[in-house]
Amino acid sequence: TIWGGVSTQRTIAFGTQEDVDAEVAARMECVAPGGGYVVDFINTAWSPRARRNVFRYLDLIHEMGVY
C-alpha cells in the first residue's frame, strides 16, 4: 500500500492546474495499477491557489482513480 504521493509543499501549494494534472497522472500511472494506492495528503496547505489545486486533485482522482 502506498499513501499520499502528490507534493503538498510544491505542487498543491504553488503549482498551476497543469502541474497538478501532470503529477496526479504520473502517480496514478506509477502506483495505482493493481490496487493498494491510498489517495491522501501527507500535510495540508490552504492558500487560495492550494484550495483550487486540492479541488482539481480530487476531481482528477475521481476521474482516474476508480479501479
Side-chain angles (χ1 to χ4, degrees):
T1 301
I2 298 174
W3 179 7
V6 174
S7 174
T8 56
Q9 293 184 358
R10 186 187 72 239
T11 305
I12 296 298
F14 301 108
T16 64
Q17 180 174 328
E18 291 77 19
D19 295 332
V20 175
D21 293 357
E23 191 163 347
V24 170
R27 294 308 160 267
M28 294 299 290
E29 182 180 320
C30 181
V31 298
Y37 179 42
V38 177
V39 176
D40 199 0
F41 297 108
I42 301 304
N43 51 35
T44 57
W46 292 103
S47 70
R49 177 183 294 256
R51 203 172 8 258
R52 286 190 300 273
N53 286 341
V54 166
F55 290 123
R56 179 62 184 162
Y57 172 83
L58 294 173
D59 288 342
L60 287 168
I61 294 302
H62 284 279
E63 291 173 21
M64 302 171 67
V66 178
Y67 58 91

